[in-house]
Amino acid sequence: SRDPILELPDESLLMPIYYGSPKRSEIASLIRSYDKGITWQNSSIIMCDSRGLNSQQQGKNFSETSLLHFGDGYLLAMVRTDETFYTDGGEFVPVGGIGELSSAISMDAGLSWTYPRKTGIYGTPGSLLRLNDGRILASYGYRKKPFGVRCCLSEDNGKTWLIDKEIIIRDDAPVWDCGYPYTIQFQNDELLTVYYISDTNGIRHIASTRWSLK
């Protein structure tokens, strides 16, 4: 699991999970609890690539899901989507490659999901926040040069994203090993994004940026 457990108005709990590797490509799934987390049940698949049935290195790996509830069981999921890739130095990375974030919608509180949609956002992983003005903010690590942390807005509940107005929180990370941001908003509309950064010696540290859309 990556993002916090989501509690619905009926007090049921939704936990986004993923599994599968290395025997197959990773599957983004969801489990729920009706007894405040004592037991978990009703597993449902959010995203799965059938091409990866026999190997993690085949097909897309879907993992580290963030959930947002709009009410009446309507959910938006943003899912990390990895594929094999080559680094800037030409090194082939067969597992854990960084790709475009995917999204899906559920209209029955997570029991079933639409087909995955490309968001157009390059990042890993994404975290969703509904802002005070109703817009949706996605925060994500950016593992292309310049490495760092970025955000993107949606004005239509995650159907489309304002890629051309991408918000750069940090672009000074010395290496690609960074990200996993989580953003909160205060009553005065200021935002706080927390994430991790690694130095050139491989030492990680937690950092934060306080900022405003104004």
Side-chain angles (χ1 to χ4, degrees):
S1 186
R2 179 275 200 260
D3 242 35
I5 292 170
L6 177 66
E7 183 175 12
L8 297 183
D10 65 359
E11 298 186 351
S12 62
L13 304 177
L14 304 182
M15 181 191 294
I17 62 171
Y18 63 95
Y19 59 91
S21 63
K23 292 183 178 181
R24 61 148 302 134
S25 61
E26 290 171 337
I27 299 170
S29 184
L30 183 71
I31 54 176
R32 68 184 63 234
S33 174
Y34 298 103
D35 54 13
K36 301 187 183 298
I38 297 174
T39 60
W40 296 87
Q41 54 190 292
N42 291 128
S43 175
S44 63
I45 291 176
I46 302 172
M47 293 183 193
C48 174
D49 191 344
S50 58
R51 295 175 301 168
L53 183 62
N54 298 311
S55 171
Q56 185 186 15
Q57 298 181 33
Q58 300 173 8
K60 295 181 179 180
N61 287 275
F62 296 115
S63 63
E64 297 180 325
T65 301
S66 179
L67 295 176
L68 193 62
H69 183 226
F70 294 99
D72 296 326
Y74 186 92
L75 296 171
L76 171 67
M78 176 169 278
V79 183
R80 174 176 175 170
T81 307
D82 285 344
E83 298 183 80
T84 58
F85 78 116
Y86 287 89
T87 66
D88 292 336
E91 178 187 0
F92 177 67
V93 180
V95 176
I98 309 307
E100 184 177 343
L101 290 165
S102 301
S103 67
I105 290 171
S106 173
M107 292 165 280
D108 53 15
L111 295 175
S112 62
W113 294 86
T114 61
Y115 283 111
R117 293 182 59 177
K118 293 183 176 181
T119 62
I121 299 172
Y122 176 89
T124 176
S127 183
L128 296 170
L129 171 68
R130 191 168 194 178
L131 299 174
N132 296 338
D133 63 10
R135 291 182 293 176
I136 308 303
L137 181 78
S139 308
Y140 45 93
Y142 194 79
R143 292 182 173 180
K144 288 181 181 178
K145 291 182 179 179
F147 309 121
V149 175
R150 302 190 179 198
C151 294
C152 198
L153 286 166
S154 173
E155 297 177 340
D156 54 10
N157 290 344
K159 295 181 179 67
T160 60
W161 297 89
L162 304 179
I163 307 299
D164 58 334
K165 297 180 180 179
E166 191 175 41
I167 301 160
I168 299 175
I169 304 298
R170 292 280 297 269
D171 64 356
D172 60 344
V175 296
W176 66 266
D177 188 14
C178 62
Y180 282 78
Y182 190 82
T183 301
I184 62 172
Q185 187 174 35
F186 301 102
Q187 288 185 348
N188 65 357
D189 292 339
E190 282 191 320
L191 297 140
L192 181 72
T193 301
V194 180
Y195 46 86
Y196 84 90
I197 297 284
S198 298
D199 63 22
T200 53
N201 295 317
I203 305 300
R204 296 184 179 98
H205 66 275
I206 304 297
S208 68
T209 299
R210 189 160 181 153
W211 58 286
S212 173
L213 287 166
K214 298 176 183 178

